[in-house]
Amino acid sequence: MTILNEIRTVGVVGAGQMGNGIAHVCALAGYDVLLNDAAEGAIDQAIETIEHNMHRQVGRGFIKDDDMRAAMGRIKRAPSLKDFGACDMAIESAIENEDVKKKIFADLSPVLGANAILATNTSSISITRLAATTDRPDKFIGVHFMNPAPVMKLVELVRGLATSQDTYNTSLRFVESLGKTIANAEDFPAFIVNRVLVPMINEAVYTLYEGVGSVEAIDKAMRLGANHPMGPLELADFIGLDTCLAIMQVLNEGLADTKYRPCPLLVKYVEAGWLGRKSDRGFYDYRTDPPTPTR
Ligand code: NAD
């Protein structure tokens, strides 16, 4: 794989489960990476996670030890967005909250060079609307990675109304240089993958809420009955219940169809701070091995 000439340095804003995966993939492909997060200690924790995950890839023979060391050397901490001046592409991957994302773009735009591409990893929010709040709607695009980014092959590319052909072409070649395959999605709420996947997860939570099945029964039924590699509740914990809820809210508001009503039980889990794997508890409790269903 060869990196693009016009993109040498990639900035990643938000070093959570997706941001660290995106930084991982970009650094392994040969890009210099700047990693930012607003939370205390989050960048260091992300770098530890990336190193741990790359070690696993070395152990499985997917990459060489030298590749890992070179890639880790390309990742730099960027505690402030002011450090993003050298970025040719910035990928925003902070929490799924429109106001938070808009504030990041407002802070980032004046720092970036005039030709830099501004991308977002949003799972559901309108690319056109986010782009319109920036100084570069023509250089703004949705680059939606799947979780976990180092493993999953697909990236959805989503053009806003104003995204230029040049921005699309460069982003397409950039994503391909990461060894990923793209699917083009139009800019409608939750795009393709999450438009189909997250309502299915929400329905699984309704199935639990109405007592049709237990956590274990629902997951087992979908694994063995529909041949899904993971049950929907296990998958919801993996995605993050806050992210699942945010996507349902975007679908509900954006498409104004009651079939997208978020399940009250999903809301309750998020209100409890039981967000899934990332907070050690969701539909399963991950502090035990194997994880224990919480209902
Ligand atoms: P996460 O909760 O693991 O990480 C979010 C990170 O953003 C946290 O580390 C938080 O500290 C940081 N953050 C919050 N406000 C910030 C700010 N103002 N500046 C910088 N950092 C800030 O969430 P995640 O799962 O990594 O999701 C991130 C984005 O990726 C969301 O838009 C989500 O919809 C999208 N996404 C998620 C998945 C998934 O399966 N979880 C898949 C594809 C895309």
Side-chain angles (χ1 to χ4, degrees):
M1 281 184 287
T2 359
I3 66 167
L4 300 193
N5 278 331
E6 58 273 51
I7 296 181
R8 296 277 167 168
T9 303
V10 179
V12 179
V13 186
Q17 51 179 354
M18 289 309 294
N20 81 55
I22 295 168
H24 174 139
V25 168
C26 293
L28 258 190
Y31 295 99
D32 289 325
V33 175
L34 294 169
L35 189 54
N36 168 271
D37 199 285
E40 181 78 33
I43 304 176
D44 287 341
Q45 204 190 327
I47 290 178
E48 249 175 58
T49 303
I50 296 170
E51 192 158 15
H52 172 81
N53 290 340
M54 282 194 193
H55 261 301
R56 254 202 332 217
Q57 287 179 302
V58 172
R60 291 180 183 168
F62 297 152
I63 61 172
K64 296 200 187 75
D65 201 45
D66 284 354
D67 301 332
M68 170 180 142
R69 258 180 279 136
M72 288 309 299
R74 285 187 206 105
I75 303 175
K76 301 276 176 317
R77 292 168 177 77
S80 161
L81 291 182
K82 295 203 176 80
D83 303 327
F84 271 44
C87 291
D88 305 301
M89 178 179 242
I91 305 175
E92 174 280 317
S93 189
I95 48 168
E96 190 71 345
N97 176 303
E98 189 159 339
D99 292 336
V100 169
K101 290 185 187 297
K102 284 179 177 164
K103 169 81 168 63
I104 290 170
F105 299 136
D107 293 343
L108 199 51
S109 299
V111 178
L112 294 175
N115 292 324
I117 292 178
L118 194 45
T120 174
N121 182 44
T122 178
S123 299
S124 60
I125 301 170
S126 164
I127 303 302
T128 302
R129 201 163 63 232
L130 290 175
T133 67
T134 73
D135 61 350
R136 61 192 76 208
D138 58 321
K139 296 190 184 66
F140 192 96
I141 191 161
V143 178
H144 180 223
F145 288 81
M146 305 295 130
N147 186 17
V151 176
M152 300 294 280
K153 288 275 164 261
L154 189 81
V155 171
E156 282 180 299
L157 268 191
V158 190
R159 274 171 277 199
L161 204 56
T163 308
S164 72
Q165 192 61 39
D166 269 0
T167 299
Y168 173 78
N169 291 344
T170 306
S171 305
L172 170 63
R173 288 190 297 118
F174 169 71
V175 169
E176 286 176 346
S177 78
L178 303 176
K180 304 292 184 197
T181 301
I182 67 119
N184 289 310
E186 288 299 320
D187 184 22
F188 288 103
F191 320 125
I192 298 171
V193 172
N194 286 324
R195 170 79 177 263
V196 177
L197 184 65
V198 181
M200 193 260 313
I201 287 173
N202 192 50
E203 200 59 31
V205 185
Y206 267 114
T207 312
L208 179 67
Y209 176 63
E210 291 168 8
V212 182
S214 64
V215 168
E216 262 176 333
I218 293 165
D219 276 350
K220 182 169 60 183
M222 293 305 286
R223 272 198 316 271
L224 303 182
N227 226 7
H228 289 190
M230 235 187 223
L233 300 172
E234 202 184 346
L235 180 58
D237 276 356
F238 192 70
I239 293 170
L241 303 191
D242 53 339
T243 301
C244 292
L245 177 60
I247 295 170
M248 285 312 297
Q249 283 162 339
V250 168
L251 283 167
N252 199 29
E253 283 157 24
L255 298 170
D257 187 326
T258 52
K259 74 179 176 182
Y260 297 115
R261 195 168 65 99
C263 178
L265 185 61
L266 179 62
V267 175
K268 191 186 276 191
Y269 268 72
V270 173
E271 285 174 348
W274 293 18
L275 306 181
R277 275 179 185 271
K278 64 183 168 188
S279 63
D280 270 349
R281 200 158 32 166
F283 292 113
Y284 294 86
D285 188 333
Y286 296 92
R287 294 167 304 178
T288 60
D289 186 17
T292 319
T294 55
R295 282 182 95 77

